[in-house]
Amino acid sequence: MQRPSVIVISALTLATIALGITAYKSPSEQRKGQAMNEQREAVSRAPGEREPTPGVKDLTIKVVYDNNPYAKGLETAWGFSALITGTEKTILFDTGGNGQLLLDNMKKLAVDPNRVDVVVLSHIHGDHTGGLGSFLRTNANVTVYLPISFPKRFKENVQSCGAKVVEVKEPVKICENVHSTGQMGKWIKEHSLMIRTKAGLIVMTGCAHPGIVNIVNKTKETVKDDILLVMGGFHLEWATKSKIEKIISAFKQWHVQYVGPCHCSGHKARSLFEKHYGKNYIKIGVGKSINLRDLQ
Ligand SMILES: [Zn+2]
Ligand SMILES: [Zn+2]
């Protein structure tokens, strides 16, 4: 039997064009990039006119699965999933641990699974991938972005449902203004999401196994932009108070404006972030909706 082909995007090229990454460019890519930029400027701008601010103008993030409660009537369970709308493609980031619960919560939140174009799986753990099977039985007309290190069997199962698979190794463009950090981590490989908005960058993590500081550092290296919000699982459940405070001071040094630790961040880290961030701390749980307008 012919093995279904797996699409591997030329990640660096796409990310380079879209994000203006200066690292990792070969001289020919630099020349090409320069030529493209000049061409784009010539098309879109009159001489002397300011460059338009890049980034999404309107955006909503709806947390559809989390172990922390927020909205009444929704089930909590260990895991994480969030729906991103307002971007060029509607994206489901992670799928929680239980497919039925994911679909039930989506229904209660009036989210139609068929609206989703892209599913991003942050890492292999069941509390992030467990809902995928049920989701694909409802809507297989999606592209699933997953770390290249996922088992071959997993990728083939996704394809056999009718979905496309994109293996992520390096930073890659998912759609306009949305990129993956590329696969990170030594033991548990994970990638995170970077969303460019007109107000700055939003970073979304699944479990942050490669380390939340390493992840934010990578986003700073990849996208030269201010960080508006870091949200998702920070994986600090067992971290000491002093370690968490060091992380918070790193966030402050980077001028991260808003934080929304949830899932595996742990109670201690959540309350310390809340203490240090005050009104810029976003309490996240299942059913929480964040709009870009709320972050300015
Ligand atoms: Zn995990
Ligand atoms: Zn997790």
Side-chain angles (χ1 to χ4, degrees):
M1 200 182 85
Q2 205 188 348
R3 192 175 158 258
S5 65
V6 174
I7 303 162
V8 182
I9 290 223
S10 171
L12 269 176
T13 311
L14 282 174
T16 304
I17 293 164
L19 297 175
I21 301 169
T22 47
Y24 314 119
K25 274 186 188 172
S26 70
S28 72
E29 276 176 323
Q30 279 177 18
R31 279 193 299 276
K32 223 189 291 173
Q34 209 178 342
M36 281 193 68
N37 283 341
E38 281 164 10
Q39 211 175 23
R40 205 164 35 207
E41 278 181 22
V43 171
S44 60
R45 282 195 285 141
E49 194 188 334
R50 276 193 68 208
E51 199 177 338
T53 317
V56 183
K57 290 195 183 74
D58 191 19
L59 174 90
T60 303
I61 298 167
K62 224 172 235 188
V63 177
V64 293
Y65 202 109
D66 192 27
N67 37 288
N68 297 289
Y70 184 81
K72 280 199 182 112
L74 295 174
E75 292 286 330
T76 56
W78 188 255
F80 184 65
S81 176
L83 183 89
I84 301 150
T85 52
T87 37
E88 184 196 355
K89 301 229 159 111
T90 296
I91 301 166
L92 187 68
F93 180 78
D94 283 338
T95 60
N98 180 303
Q100 195 51 55
L101 199 145
L102 173 75
L103 295 175
D104 286 350
N105 280 347
M106 283 178 132
K107 197 172 178 187
K108 287 175 190 165
L109 288 163
V111 170
D112 179 2
N114 289 300
R115 278 180 59 200
V116 174
D117 307 302
V118 166
V119 177
V120 175
L121 297 176
S122 64
H123 67 297
I124 192 74
H125 286 162
D127 55 326
H128 299 259
T129 57
L132 183 70
S134 304
F135 178 86
L136 291 180
R137 279 191 288 280
T138 310
N139 176 14
N141 191 21
V142 290
T143 304
V144 180
Y145 286 75
L146 41 74
I148 194 167
S149 55
F150 267 40
K152 191 172 163 233
R153 182 88 182 267
F154 188 105
K155 296 168 195 167
E156 286 173 354
N157 283 343
V158 173
Q159 288 167 327
S160 68
C161 292
K164 275 189 213 130
V165 168
V166 175
E167 299 175 295
V168 175
K169 191 176 181 198
E170 303 296 336
V172 63
K173 179 177 177 178
I174 293 170
C175 66
E176 209 51 56
N177 292 310
V178 183
H179 298 80
S180 154
T181 56
Q183 178 176 268
M184 295 176 67
K186 284 194 179 75
W187 300 101
I188 300 155
K189 312 277 193 193
E190 182 169 342
H191 67 136
S192 307
L193 218 55
M194 305 181 282
I195 309 163
R196 280 197 102 155
T197 78
K198 62 170 185 176
L201 189 71
I202 295 178
V203 180
M204 192 181 286
T205 58
C207 249
H209 290 292
I212 191 69
V213 167
N214 293 336
I215 293 170
V216 179
N217 234 338
K218 176 91 183 259
T219 69
K220 295 285 292 173
E221 281 168 13
T222 315
V223 183
K224 309 278 179 242
D225 201 356
D226 296 333
I227 299 182
L228 179 65
L229 164 69
V230 182
M231 67 166 287
F234 287 11
H235 204 62
L236 298 171
E237 192 107 46
W238 296 279
T240 60
K241 187 176 181 236
S242 72
K243 185 184 172 189
I244 295 165
E245 280 177 336
K246 270 188 199 141
I247 292 170
I248 294 172
S249 50
F251 270 52
K252 292 272 181 182
Q253 263 174 13
W254 287 322
H255 305 289
V256 173
Q257 273 194 66
Y258 290 87
V259 287
C262 58
H263 178 39
C264 57
S265 302
H267 178 70
K268 198 194 298 165
R270 275 162 62 98
S271 40
L272 284 168
F273 268 103
E274 185 170 15
K275 185 181 144 199
H276 287 276
Y277 266 84
K279 66 175 179 47
N280 285 15
Y281 170 85
I282 303 173
K283 192 179 175 198
I284 294 181
V286 62
K288 173 70 181 176
S289 192
I290 301 163
N291 192 280
L292 191 56
R293 285 188 301 270
D294 308 330
L295 304 176
Q296 293 163 61

